[in-house]
Amino acid sequence: MRYLHSQVARKGQYFEVRGDTLLVGFDASKATLTYGDKPFLCCDLQTPLQRLRNGVFGIKIRSPNLSNAVLTLHVTNVEPRGEAFRYRGSEQFILADEDVALPTQAGLDIERIALPFAAGSSETRTVSIFRGAACKQTIANCTVVYMADGQSLQRLLLAAWRNGRRLADLVFVGVHNADTGGSNRRIAELLRVSEEPDFELFKAFVFGTVRDRVESGQAPRKRYAGGMSNGGAWALSMLAEQPDLFDGAIVMSPAIWHEPASMEVAGKALIIGAGLLEDGMLRQAQKIAGLCSDKGASVAAIYPPSGHSMNSWVNIWIGALKALEH
């Protein structure tokens, strides 16, 4: 660690990938910790840094996937934070774009609306709808993708457009997080792990109010559910519970999910993936891929060399939209 300490002393923070090893160092003597007692590394890799000496913290991480990884890293609980470290070790995978503005050249009509969430409630929920050029008058020949991650959808679409994916015959529907309730509300709405009504209320909103607005009684060519993390588990639940409604699902880094007593996915399309630098969610994705394949689904698995972040999800998403072109 002597080399790492000397680099931090000169630069304040230091990141380097050497083969299968990542070196990280940070001078906390010139920064303020906003929480905890150690600087914390985020986000494709997540771990506290270890105290070295004289206010310098660092860590050495080894993984067989690091040399080809796509990484965005920063020390998250300090002020000032410092610049993020972005690393692309493979031309096969991309780094997620930092900007989110979708240009008109992408050819998508964009509608952002607030819809009433539930009967008897004054709550509304923001929904973003992106219609490809061939889907502006009719959706009969279009595929509609319902996403539980509306706040991230534009960023995914920007990456897809920049990397040559065809969007003309697709409609993307993104339901945003609630304005109140934070992460606990999101978990309750997207994971079927409790008896609370939030999951069913959210499901009824998406496939009642939102679907009526998007489809107006006209069936599309195909329907997919999609999402990442908790949203990935939700997308899989929608496919498993409503096989008559969905033709497939795009499942990215799925969180906690339990196989239902009855699950008919034969002939359905499952595009699933997780980052190779994830742990539990990578194993979860691999387990689900095997389960659905055994049940007769057509499974395409995509495992980018990244973590639980947009760097993994944009690569899975681009692969998923490529699969939808066939």
Side-chain angles (χ1 to χ4, degrees), residues 205-284:
F205 170 68
V206 175
F207 302 114
T209 303
V210 176
R211 181 185 167 198
D212 288 347
R213 175 66 181 238
V214 173
E215 299 183 12
S216 300
Q218 183 182 55
R221 183 172 65 90
K222 290 184 178 180
R223 289 189 196 90
Y224 278 71
M228 70 273 287
S229 194
N230 293 325
W234 174 84
L236 184 60
S237 292
M238 295 304 98
L239 177 63
E241 295 179 15
Q242 302 184 97
D244 293 338
L245 187 63
F246 287 103
D247 298 279
I250 302 170
V251 177
M252 299 176 277
S253 302
I256 298 170
W257 179 81
H258 300 291
E259 180 185 355
S262 176
M263 182 175 173
E264 299 294 334
V265 294
K268 303 297 182 180
L270 175 66
I271 304 155
I272 190 167
L276 290 174
L277 299 179
E278 298 188 68
D279 188 10
M281 292 180 183
L282 173 61
R283 293 195 301 271
Q284 171 89 317

Side-chain angles (χ1 to χ4, degrees), residues 11-323:
K11 301 178 181 180
Q13 68 174 23
Y14 182 72
F15 296 89
E16 182 185 1
V17 175
R18 291 184 181 179
D20 64 354
T21 302
L22 170 70
L23 296 174
V24 180
F26 188 83
D27 185 354
S29 66
K30 300 176 182 178
T32 301
L33 289 173
T34 56
Y35 61 86
D37 59 356
K38 297 176 181 178
F40 193 88
L41 181 67
C42 187
C43 278
D44 284 301
L45 294 165
Q46 301 180 26
T47 183
L49 303 185
Q50 302 304 311
R51 188 183 303 274
L52 301 180
R53 59 182 179 180
N54 300 331
V56 173
F57 291 75
I59 198 166
K60 180 187 291 185
I61 299 172
R62 286 192 173 94
S63 169
N65 299 303
L66 273 174
S67 61
N68 294 320
V70 285
L71 302 171
T72 301
L73 300 170
H74 62 268
V75 179
T76 187
N77 59 332
V78 296
E79 292 292 345
R81 176 180 289 185
E83 293 185 8
F85 171 69
R86 288 168 61 81
Y87 175 80
R88 185 184 182 192
S90 170
E91 292 297 317
Q92 182 181 355
F93 299 97
I94 69 163
L95 280 161
D97 295 303
E98 293 297 318
D99 54 340
V100 297
L102 194 63
T104 56
Q105 296 94 311
L108 295 171
D109 271 5
I110 304 172
E111 181 183 14
R112 184 181 171 103
I113 52 176
L115 295 175
F117 184 69
S121 169
S122 61
E123 180 184 2
T124 61
R125 188 67 63 90
T126 300
V127 178
S128 295
I129 305 170
F130 302 81
R131 296 179 185 269
C135 308
K136 296 175 183 179
Q137 302 300 322
T138 176
I139 62 170
N141 295 314
C142 299
T143 295
V144 179
V145 182
Y146 288 92
M147 290 283 293
D149 297 282
Q151 63 282 351
S152 302
L153 182 52
Q154 185 158 288
R155 197 172 176 189
L156 293 172
L157 291 174
L158 177 62
W161 174 73
R162 284 181 170 170
N163 287 273
R165 296 281 61 85
R166 189 180 72 221
L167 306 177
D169 57 351
L170 296 167
V171 178
F172 303 94
V173 184
V175 182
H176 293 236
N177 291 342
D179 293 331
T180 60
S183 59
N184 288 336
R185 176 84 179 272
R186 174 175 165 82
I187 290 170
E189 289 183 343
L190 300 183
L191 302 185
R192 188 181 280 288
V193 294
S194 70
E195 297 302 321
E196 295 183 9
D198 300 80
F199 184 93
E200 291 297 340
L201 282 172
F202 184 78
K203 178 180 174 182
F205 170 68
V206 175
F207 302 114
T209 303
V210 176
R211 181 185 167 198
D212 288 347
R213 175 66 181 238
V214 173
E215 299 183 12
S216 300
Q218 183 182 55
R221 183 172 65 90
K222 290 184 178 180
R223 289 189 196 90
Y224 278 71
M228 70 273 287
S229 194
N230 293 325
W234 174 84
L236 184 60
S237 292
M238 295 304 98
L239 177 63
E241 295 179 15
Q242 302 184 97
D244 293 338
L245 187 63
F246 287 103
D247 298 279
I250 302 170
V251 177
M252 299 176 277
S253 302
I256 298 170
W257 179 81
H258 300 291
E259 180 185 355
S262 176
M263 182 175 173
E264 299 294 334
V265 294
K268 303 297 182 180
L270 175 66
I271 304 155
I272 190 167
L276 290 174
L277 299 179
E278 298 188 68
D279 188 10
M281 292 180 183
L282 173 61
R283 293 195 301 271
Q284 171 89 317
Q286 292 169 332
K287 179 180 177 181
I288 291 168
L291 170 69
C292 291
S293 179
D294 290 344
K295 290 181 175 292
S298 173
V299 177
I302 304 168
Y303 301 117
S306 196
H308 192 71
S309 77
M310 288 297 293
N311 284 330
S312 285
W313 302 330
V314 294
N315 285 288
I316 299 167
W317 178 256
I318 290 168
L321 296 195
K322 184 177 181 179

